[in-house]
Amino acid sequence: MSQTNEPREPWLAELIGEAADKRMTDKQIRILEASVELFAGKGYASASTSEIAAMAGVAEGTIFRHYKTKKELLLTIVRPAMIKLLAPFMLKEFKDVLSSSYSSYGDFLRALAANRIQFLDRNKRLVRILIQELPFHPELQQQFREHVFSRVIAQAEAIVIRFQQQGEIIPLPPATVLRLSASSLLGYAAARYIAQESASTKWNDERELSATIDFIVKGLRP
Amino acid sequence: MSQTNEPREPWLAELIGEAADKRMTDKQIRILEASVELFAGKGYASASTSEIAAMAGVAEGTIFRHYKTKKELLLTIVRPAMIKLLAPFMLKEFKDVLSSSYSSYGDFLRALAANRIQFLDRNKRLVRILIQELPFHPELQQQFREHVFSRVIAQAEAIVIRFQQQGEIIPLPPATVLRLSASSLLGYAAARYIAQESASTKWNDERELSATIDFIVKGLRP
DNA sequence: ATGAAAAATGAGTGATCACTTACTTTTTTT
DNA sequence: AAAAAAAGTAAGTGATCACTCATTTTTCAT
């Protein structure tokens, strides 16, 4: 009864393996996969190490051979995922948008949204863990602020300022413009997530995305 | 060393006391208050009954005299708070707005936001527990949908339709208009919460609220 | 093939978990 | 004031928790 299931989180092994700069055994990878599954499914506090070991098909001691504590197991997953996966992805288009391309703020938002949604779809479990555990782990909050939040804000503000100078966006504080744009897009993403979770047939994705972007662009027009 | 601290959650005793239709002892109230504090602070799963008893100044057995399980303790707090406090409050202005008053959608949003923000400020801990635990307790999800979400949606859609007929809002599906309005307001509330948590001096509340409402109204104009 | 290092194991460890029980104290009813 | 009922308690209960450790198995350079 040897289980050789394909990995549910393709990013995991590669990401953490290259971070540690040494190869991982099959069992180590299965421990991380089981952890992601259980942390996302029932929360870090409610997921026991014995459960993780059982799901990974591994003795409980094996977990602690590689990770000193349960919390270190969580951090081993979340920290590199945040720094090496989430942060670079969030900053993706931001670099080149300043130099060229994207004639309008709407075009920019559309390109941005498409990629971000794809990312969320592929990394649901990771995002769930992040959202659920961030309030309880100050180290994670600090790293999130430092490596994700502040960098994204800095880049995004520059873009907002550019479109403000072009006269396409009201001269509000860039942080305010960002908040309004981001909350609308996050609201779209959340509604999309809930709609597909409850298998609601009423969700017309393209229409909702268009409406959201039009809403933002119109709402920010001078 | 008898502690007669004033209650941190004034709604608690009254709400649950009248729900059970019988008076509560001082110790029962303190158990509920300690539970709210700890559930909000470290999460339901990480808050132990012994901790709750200690904070309430009560023997652990006393908790289980009144609540069969730890989960029943959670539900005793969250269920009536949702049904008797959150739902009625969310529906507050919605009734009379249809018959009269509120000449514009912007005026309506402003009145709405002011009350909702006040509510959030007063019930931070309750809202935290709700947000944190909703994903893990299907019974709570179902009750939230039934008593809060669906009712608010129904009322709010009627209002949106009224303003659409007056030609003040684009003829998008009411659910979409609602999503866009709600996500902007929630984004404002979230930013406000984070700003006051981190004691940031940069937050100009009135300006941010005005910008948010203007953004919504302009974004939804035909 | 051999031996040293790394990986993996499973039977523990004490601590803590939610919860129970036998009993005492307080409150209410008569 | 006596009796009954309700509230509260302290000392448990077995189960499970995160974690350890002595031992075995696997890997891999030589």
Side-chain angles (χ1 to χ4, degrees), chain A residues 176 179 208 212 218-219 221, chain B residues 176 179 208 212 218-219 221:
Chain A
T176 304
R179 171 173 67 72
E208 294 294 334
T212 304
K218 223 163 65 181
R221 213 136 48 191
Chain B
T176 303
R179 172 173 66 71
E208 294 295 333
T212 304
K218 222 163 64 181
R221 211 134 51 188

Side-chain angles (χ1 to χ4, degrees), chain B residues 11-166:
Chain B
W11 51 274
L12 241 183
E14 187 194 346
L15 191 76
I16 291 158
E18 80 183 38
D21 210 45
K22 57 181 172 184
R23 290 228 244 90
M24 306 178 72
T25 66
D26 179 57
K27 300 208 170 188
Q28 287 183 54
I29 293 171
R30 290 212 321 260
I31 289 171
L32 294 176
E33 285 170 353
S35 299
V36 169
E37 184 87 12
L38 286 168
F39 287 164
K42 44 164 53 189
Y44 168 76
S46 299
S48 71
T49 50
S50 67
E51 228 174 343
I52 293 170
M55 177 175 282
V58 152
E60 202 173 345
T62 308
I63 293 176
F64 291 95
R65 174 132 325 250
H66 299 289
Y67 310 99
K68 269 174 276 191
T69 64
K70 185 186 163 191
K71 180 147 190 174
E72 189 183 292
L73 177 56
L74 173 72
L75 295 180
T76 299
I77 292 168
V78 176
R79 205 187 303 132
M82 223 162 54
I83 296 174
K84 298 242 174 87
L85 187 77
L86 182 62
F89 190 87
M90 292 290 277
L91 290 168
K92 221 176 165 192
E93 285 88 2
F94 286 29
K95 301 284 181 187
D96 33 71
V97 77
L98 283 168
S99 52
S100 65
S101 53
Y102 301 125
S103 54
S104 74
Y105 190 58
D107 286 352
F108 167 65
L109 287 179
R110 211 167 235 296
L112 194 89
N115 284 330
R116 300 304 171 307
I117 284 294
Q118 204 179 40
F119 180 87
L120 287 181
D121 274 343
R122 270 209 270 271
N123 302 285
K124 270 179 214 162
R125 275 181 268 268
L126 169 63
V127 173
R128 259 196 93 131
I129 294 175
L130 214 84
I131 292 173
Q132 280 166 10
E133 300 306 327
L134 220 46
F136 300 123
H137 305 275
E139 333 84 290
L140 286 182
Q141 288 169 32
Q142 194 261 326
Q143 298 217 339
F144 181 81
R145 256 195 302 273
E146 183 180 331
H147 293 98
V148 184
F149 188 75
S150 63
R151 291 189 194 187
V152 170
I153 294 287
Q155 291 281 346
E157 284 197 350
I159 290 170
V160 166
I161 290 171
R162 200 196 75 163
F163 282 110
Q164 282 180 325
Q165 285 168 343
Q166 290 181 215

Side-chain angles (χ1 to χ4, degrees), chain A residues 36-85:
Chain A
V36 169
E37 183 86 13
L38 286 168
F39 288 164
K42 45 166 52 190
Y44 168 77
S46 299
S48 71
T49 50
S50 66
E51 226 175 345
I52 293 170
M55 177 174 281
V58 151
E60 201 173 346
T62 308
I63 293 177
F64 291 96
R65 175 126 329 246
H66 299 289
Y67 310 99
K68 269 175 276 192
T69 64
K70 185 186 165 192
K71 181 147 192 175
E72 190 183 291
L73 177 55
L74 173 72
L75 295 180
T76 299
I77 292 168
V78 174
R79 205 187 305 131
M82 223 163 54
I83 296 174
K84 298 241 174 89
L85 187 77

Side-chain angles (χ1 to χ4, degrees), chain A residues 73 99 122 169 174:
Chain A
L73 177 55
S99 52
R122 271 209 269 272
I169 295 181

Side-chain angles (χ1 to χ4, degrees), chain A residues 84-93 115-116 118-119:
Chain A
K84 298 241 174 89
L85 187 77
L86 182 62
F89 190 87
M90 293 290 277
L91 290 168
K92 223 178 164 190
E93 285 86 3
N115 284 330
R116 300 305 178 282
Q118 206 179 37
F119 181 87

